Amino acid sequence: MSTRITLQASVPDTQSGNRLDQVAASLFPDFSRGRLQAWIKDGCLQVNQQNLRSKDKVHEGDVLQLNAVLEAEDIHEAEPVALNIIYEDEDVIVLNKAAGTVVHPAVGNRSGTLLNGLLHHCPMLGEIPRAGIVHRLDKDTTGLMVVAKTLQAHRQLVKQLQRREVQREYEAVVIGVMTAGGTVDLPLGRHPVQRQKHAVVEDGKEAVTHYRVLNRYRAHTHILVKLETGRTHQIRVHMSHIRYPLVGDPLYGGRLQIPKACSPALAKELKQFRRQALHARRLGFEHPRTGEYMEWEADVPEDMAHLLDVLQDDM
């Protein structure tokens, strides 16, 4: 199966002087940079009706013309992976991701991912960039995600994310007792030494996280988090940076902390809870075809609900 793609866009002044592949990735966000580079090389993506190289500079007013055939991505296999779909129509799928599920195949996780399961559930997703996955959740983060079933839906949802119009709220349990909510507005990027991690860095991308207190315990806090941006590991890094790391976070949580004089039940629970206590509980956006605002909520999973119960009993 294949789909003909015909798009055109002009280079804005903010992108003038940048590489063609960088500008193309910004103007045509539905497609990966690797795919765009291949189209540039094949002459399917031209500038002012001329063939350029990916590294060539483009300037304000230049017109990028994309005329290509999008082939179904057959490098990822369809597999019968369990999906907890809570809403589906001809344009979108909203699902509740379980802990331990990798969203996209990568080194060490080539099969059994959410993407493999989506291709099995809806083979037409093979024609959509990243099988329609618009945003990701970390492997051990649970909760709501949206998947686009058409190129038009994918394009509209990506635009909503870029304009910060998609509503995303999370519940988390952090170590330490917060006195009040607040906002963390600090740029994020790759950790300068530990490349598998992200960190607050001066030249990083803008990242804004709002949080408020839902409940306080003797040594922990249950919080509601609202994302304004969606950087990799954003909540985990920001909370750790302000010294309220998430319970169970293997990357940013630091050493296991057992509160003094806590109950044996809580000590056991904290030792056993070995994933970040983070759940995407609410998701809202304008439907990409109808324009109607739609919203979904998903309760925290059983393991996180049990953690909250044990914390409450330890008060």
Side-chain angles (χ1 to χ4, degrees):
M1 296 180 291
S2 61
T3 303
R4 170 66 63 178
I5 305 298
T6 304
L7 296 171
Q8 181 172 300
S10 296
V11 178
D13 58 349
T14 55
Q15 297 279 346
S16 187
N18 291 342
R19 288 171 52 116
L20 170 56
D21 56 354
Q22 293 176 333
V23 176
S26 175
L27 296 179
F28 306 126
D30 288 352
F31 312 107
S32 68
R33 183 174 295 187
R35 186 189 291 275
L36 291 167
Q37 289 172 336
W39 282 337
I40 292 169
K41 185 176 180 181
D42 293 339
C44 299
L45 177 51
Q46 297 182 317
V47 179
N48 302 327
Q49 299 183 337
Q50 295 182 341
N51 293 337
L52 297 182
R53 299 168 298 176
S54 290
K55 66 180 181 180
D56 289 338
K57 302 293 193 297
V58 292
H59 302 280
E60 180 183 0
D62 286 344
V63 178
L64 275 61
Q65 298 153 312
L66 176 60
N67 190 349
V69 174
L70 184 66
E71 300 290 347
E73 296 188 24
D74 55 7
I75 57 172
H76 302 307
E77 294 185 5
E79 298 178 59
V81 176
L83 301 174
N84 183 7
I85 294 173
I86 63 174
Y87 176 83
E88 181 174 8
D89 61 24
E90 61 186 21
D91 300 289
V92 298
I93 297 171
V94 175
L95 54 86
N96 188 2
K97 189 184 87 66
T101 302
V102 175
V103 170
H104 196 281
V107 176
N109 292 289
R110 291 295 181 187
S111 64
T113 71
L114 189 68
L115 185 146
N116 298 118
L118 286 167
L119 290 175
H120 182 268
H121 171 74
C122 182
M124 288 293 291
L125 289 174
E127 299 181 15
I128 314 299
R130 301 176 184 88
I133 295 170
V134 177
H135 61 109
R136 302 186 186 187
L137 294 177
D138 297 334
K139 174 184 176 182
D140 287 323
T141 297
T142 59
L144 297 172
M145 291 179 57
V146 60
V147 176
K149 294 177 68 175
T150 68
L151 280 170
Q152 293 76 15
H154 190 274
R155 188 176 301 117
Q156 287 298 321
L157 289 169
V158 168
K159 286 181 179 179
Q160 288 187 51
L161 279 168
Q162 292 173 337
R163 294 194 297 257
R164 304 182 183 181
E165 295 171 349
V166 176
Q167 301 299 311
R168 290 173 291 172
E169 286 185 356
Y170 295 71
E171 287 188 45
V173 182
V174 300
I175 301 169
V177 181
M178 290 182 169
T179 56
T183 295
V184 184
D185 184 354
L186 294 169
L188 298 180
R190 285 283 182 186
H191 193 287
V193 178
Q194 298 170 282
R195 303 302 291 175
Q196 79 277 20
K197 298 176 67 174
H198 287 70
V200 172
V201 292
E202 188 174 338
D203 60 347
K205 295 181 179 180
E206 181 188 15
V208 182
T209 304
H210 307 283
Y211 63 95
R212 66 180 178 87
V213 173
L214 292 176
N215 205 354
R216 297 181 183 88
Y217 307 100
R218 288 202 304 127
H220 299 83
T221 309
H222 181 199
I223 61 173
L224 180 70
V225 183
K226 185 173 182 179
L227 286 183
E228 197 169 309
T229 55
R231 308 304 178 195
T232 302
H233 298 174
Q234 179 173 321
I235 295 173
R236 300 165 65 187
V237 177
H238 271 170
M239 291 300 103
S240 178
H241 186 80
I242 63 172
R243 300 186 180 181
Y244 291 101
L246 271 61
V247 168
D249 194 329
L251 267 183
Y252 306 100
R255 301 174 68 176
L256 176 64
Q257 299 182 42
I258 305 296
K260 293 181 179 179
C262 75
S263 68
L266 178 56
K268 180 181 178 181
E269 180 67 17
L270 293 173
K271 290 176 182 177
Q272 293 179 344
F273 203 95
R274 303 314 301 158
R275 73 169 183 91
Q276 61 269 12
L278 182 62
H279 173 71
R281 78 164 216 179
R282 187 169 76 93
L283 175 67
F285 55 82
E286 287 188 3
H287 190 280
R289 182 171 50 83
T290 68
E292 176 189 1
Y293 181 76
M294 304 181 74
E295 187 174 282
W296 298 265
E297 288 199 24
D299 293 336
V300 295
E302 185 177 346
D303 65 342
M304 199 164 158
H306 186 259
L307 170 65
L308 291 169
D309 286 343
V310 174
L311 285 168
Q312 185 64 43
D313 291 342
D314 186 65
M315 293 288 284

